[in-house]
Amino acid sequence: MSLNEVKVIAFDADDTLWENENFFRDAEHQFCKVMAEYEAEEEVMKKLFRTEIQNLELYGYGVKAFILSLMETALEISNRKVRPEQIEGIIEIGKSMLMKDVILLDGIVDLLDKLYGKYRLVVATKGDLLDQERKLKKSGLRKYFHHIEIMTHKREENYQELLNHLDIPAEQFFMVGNSLKSDVLPVIDLGGYAAHIPYYTTWLYEQMDPEDIKSDRFFELKQIHDVLDLFEKTKE
Amino acid sequence: MSLNEVKVIAFDADDTLWENENFFRDAEHQFCKVMAEYEAEEEVMKKLFRTEIQNLELYGYGVKAFILSLMETALEISNRKVRPEQIEGIIEIGKSMLMKDVILLDGIVDLLDKLYGKYRLVVATKGDLLDQERKLKKSGLRKYFHHIEIMTHKREENYQELLNHLDIPAEQFFMVGNSLKSDVLPVIDLGGYAAHIPYYTTWLYEQMDPEDIKSDRFFELKQIHDVLDLFEKTKE
């Protein structure tokens, strides 16, 4: 088994190709300001997180789900006294998130340029269908990708479906992403390869310790360019 | 050109395989009751529709988008006086929509049983990714389908992408759905076949006159079973 077998390189999108999680951090911060009269930031954040996790199965990932959880948290922390202008503020936070420009992470275009034509490149992302398609369009990166997979979850069975669709065994699949829990662990468990490139902020729900993943098919990298080094080293 | 060429039969999901639009009608009605102190039902519905259309590009289709538009409409019609318990009521309307059981339309299982194995069967639906996958799972119909396509829009270019993915020319594609605008017109324009089976209620935005579609590849049917008659007649 070696990286020479790899035929498909799949990229997570949010916080791997472009900035994302920081927009959620900013939005949470704005929300705390809107709610400052009721509770301190730390308490608001704790309640928001609990509401998001409770709603995850029903609402899924993405901005619309997040906004609905903000609404519910606002009702809770205000003890059902939230005011219309605060509700309006939350709707505005959501709309401005959906209208944000896409900011590519450093080195992405160069990496894709160099891998293009040598590997089948794929996007494998969670989130809202419309929102992810919009970001991909705004990003200008669509042309590099053979296939875009927008997944409701990133569990082993979801990756298995993707492998079936791509018609390749796991050992020809290499996943690149910023989440150990979503991008690395399930792929390693299936028998594929995965590289972790941390983003400077990770949603609490996605956090785990890289030490917990023991596999010679797992690569802990520092920056996106290291992916290239990995494959170039293989070919020597 | 004839129906003998058809290799793939694609089905819209909401209001073609299972009930859907009536849940939106019920939810709108509940919303009007919650808002009854501010405006009459007719006026509320008019403003809600305007808000939904304004938000369509940003929010897309589906329950979460609908609920966010209800919130915005509530702010508008209450002249920014909406009360917390009304906001709570709207969140509850949304959650109960997402938790609804799936009610298959009459004749669907029989039809799929008879077509299965003779044609590649596909689902081609708009809406929210998580919600549509959940409904498909609850429906028990997953086993009949070769492929599920959840689309952000049902325009010509989206169907063209689906045809590319299925690797067939338009004349081998037959679409079945309840919306002339989304399920029939773009498919006919591409050179495929389409059957329209009206559901008893259609969202205003999707309404159009069947007389406006002139093509011998278009079939206006009364019930789902007529699809079978159409293909059986072809084979005689």
Side-chain angles (χ1 to χ4, degrees):
Chain A
M1 209 172 53
S2 94
L3 282 179
N4 282 319
E5 300 170 281
V6 170
K7 299 267 193 301
V8 171
I9 304 179
F11 292 84
D12 169 54
D14 292 338
D15 307 317
T16 299
L17 299 177
W18 52 64
E19 294 188 10
N20 178 65
E21 196 54 31
N22 51 328
F23 297 141
F24 280 86
R25 287 299 91 74
D26 290 350
E28 285 162 3
H29 194 67
Q30 281 176 57
F31 175 67
C32 290
K33 276 208 274 187
V34 170
M35 294 287 119
E37 69 194 87
Y38 307 111
E39 295 248 37
E41 176 143 357
E42 202 189 348
E43 197 55 31
V44 176
M45 287 297 292
K46 209 187 286 175
K47 288 182 174 162
L48 171 60
F49 181 67
R50 205 175 49 207
T51 306
E52 286 185 273
I53 299 306
Q54 276 166 1
N55 287 335
L56 198 54
E57 207 191 313
L58 200 60
Y59 289 160
Y61 298 88
V63 172
K64 283 178 288 186
F66 174 68
I67 297 305
L68 290 171
S69 286
L70 289 185
M71 295 279 182
E72 203 173 320
T73 310
L75 283 162
E76 184 191 355
I77 59 180
S78 70
N79 203 12
R80 274 125 198 99
K81 289 191 174 64
V82 63
R83 294 191 305 278
E85 66 269 26
Q86 292 169 321
I87 295 296
E88 202 159 23
I90 293 169
I91 291 175
E92 284 314 309
I93 290 172
K95 288 196 171 178
S96 88
M97 287 178 86
L98 292 172
M99 289 189 285
K100 283 238 181 302
D101 284 339
V102 168
I103 302 169
L104 296 182
L105 295 187
D106 281 349
I108 283 293
V109 171
D110 183 56
L111 175 72
L112 294 175
D113 267 334
K114 286 180 175 141
L115 295 174
Y116 184 75
K118 295 181 188 134
Y119 298 90
R120 264 201 286 169
L121 304 179
V122 163
V123 174
T125 174
K126 279 189 297 199
D128 184 83
L129 189 62
L130 178 67
D131 200 25
Q132 293 300 38
E133 286 194 0
R134 177 167 35 219
K135 286 193 272 187
L136 197 69
K137 206 167 175 182
K138 282 187 187 171
S139 75
L141 300 179
R142 182 66 187 88
K143 61 184 176 186
Y144 292 108
F145 297 106
H146 165 83
H147 177 73
I148 311 297
E149 186 84 9
I150 301 172
M151 305 148 95
T152 42
H153 297 283
K154 278 183 161 177
R155 300 179 187 144
E156 258 188 77
E157 68 258 36
N158 310 101
Y159 281 105
Q160 187 57 59
E161 273 178 38
L162 175 58
L163 292 175
N164 296 347
H165 176 83
L166 295 169
D167 201 19
I168 54 163
E171 60 268 25
Q172 295 180 7
F173 184 79
F174 190 102
M175 179 76 198
V176 180
N178 71 302
S179 167
L180 289 162
K181 194 166 159 183
S182 297
D183 301 318
V184 173
L185 194 58
V187 174
I188 296 297
D189 284 348
L190 274 174
Y193 293 88
H196 178 232
I197 303 167
Y199 188 61
Y200 74 92
T201 177
T202 303
W203 187 30
L204 187 55
Y205 183 70
E206 297 282 348
Q207 289 174 15
M208 73 174 282
D209 185 349
E211 293 292 316
D212 291 342
I213 304 180
K214 310 264 181 240
S215 167
D216 54 0
R217 286 174 284 106
F218 164 51
F219 303 91
E220 179 67 31
L221 304 180
K222 285 222 172 63
Q223 49 183 6
I224 195 78
H225 200 268
D226 297 344
V227 174
L228 208 64
D229 294 345
L230 207 63
F231 282 97
E232 284 181 348
K233 237 182 277 164
T234 313
K235 295 218 160 130
E236 276 160 15
Chain B
M1 209 172 52
S2 93
L3 281 178
N4 282 317
E5 300 170 284
V6 170
K7 298 267 193 301
V8 172
I9 304 179
F11 291 84
D12 170 53
D14 292 338
D15 307 318
T16 299
L17 299 177
W18 51 63
E19 294 187 10
N20 177 65
E21 196 55 30
N22 50 327
F23 297 141
F24 280 87
R25 286 300 91 73
D26 291 349
E28 286 163 3
H29 194 68
Q30 282 175 58
F31 175 67
C32 289
K33 276 208 274 187
V34 171
M35 295 287 119
E37 68 193 90
Y38 307 111
E39 294 248 36
E41 177 144 355
E42 201 190 349
E43 197 55 31
V44 175
M45 289 295 293
K46 209 188 283 175
K47 287 183 175 161
L48 171 60
F49 181 68
R50 205 174 50 206
T51 306
E52 285 186 271
I53 299 307
Q54 275 167 3
N55 286 336
L56 197 55
E57 207 191 312
L58 201 59
Y59 288 159
Y61 298 88
V63 172
K64 284 178 287 186
F66 174 68
I67 298 304
L68 290 171
S69 286
L70 288 185
M71 295 279 183
E72 203 173 320
T73 309
L75 283 162
E76 185 190 355
I77 59 179
S78 70
N79 203 13
R80 273 126 198 100
K81 290 190 173 64
V82 64
R83 293 190 307 277
E85 66 268 25
Q86 292 170 322
I87 296 295
E88 204 159 20
I90 294 169
I91 291 176
E92 284 314 309
I93 291 172
K95 287 194 171 178
S96 87
M97 287 178 86
L98 291 172
M99 288 189 284
K100 282 238 181 303
D101 284 339
V102 168
I103 302 168
L104 296 182
L105 295 187
D106 282 348
I108 283 294
V109 171
D110 182 58
L111 176 72
L112 294 175
D113 266 334
K114 286 181 173 141
L115 295 174
Y116 184 74
K118 295 183 188 132
Y119 299 90
R120 264 202 286 169
L121 304 179
V122 163
V123 174
T125 174
K126 281 189 296 199
D128 184 81
L129 188 62
L130 178 67
D131 200 25
Q132 293 299 38
E133 286 194 359
R134 177 167 34 218
K135 285 192 274 185
L136 198 68
K137 207 168 174 181
K138 283 188 188 170
S139 75
L141 300 179
R142 181 67 187 88
K143 61 184 176 186
Y144 293 108
F145 297 107
H146 166 84
H147 177 71
I148 311 296
E149 185 84 9
I150 301 171
M151 305 148 94
T152 43
H153 297 283
K154 279 184 160 175
R155 299 177 188 144
E156 256 188 78
E157 67 257 36
N158 310 100
Y159 281 104
Q160 186 57 59
E161 273 178 38
L162 175 58
L163 292 175
N164 296 346
H165 176 82
L166 296 169
D167 202 20
I168 54 162
E171 60 269 24
Q172 295 179 8
F173 184 79
F174 190 101
M175 179 76 197
V176 180
N178 71 302
S179 167
L180 289 162
K181 194 166 159 182
S182 296
D183 302 318
V184 173
L185 195 58
V187 174
I188 295 297
D189 285 347
L190 274 174
Y193 293 88
H196 177 233
I197 303 169
Y199 188 61
Y200 74 91
T201 175
T202 303
W203 187 31
L204 187 57
Y205 184 69
E206 296 283 347
Q207 290 174 13
M208 73 175 282
D209 186 349
E211 294 291 317
D212 291 343
I213 304 179
K214 309 265 181 239
S215 166
D216 53 0
R217 286 173 285 105
F218 165 51
F219 304 90
E220 179 68 30
L221 305 179
K222 284 220 173 62
Q223 48 182 7
I224 196 77
H225 200 268
D226 298 344
V227 173
L228 208 64
D229 295 344
L230 207 63
F231 281 97
E232 285 182 347
K233 236 182 279 165
T234 312
K235 295 217 159 131
E236 278 161 14

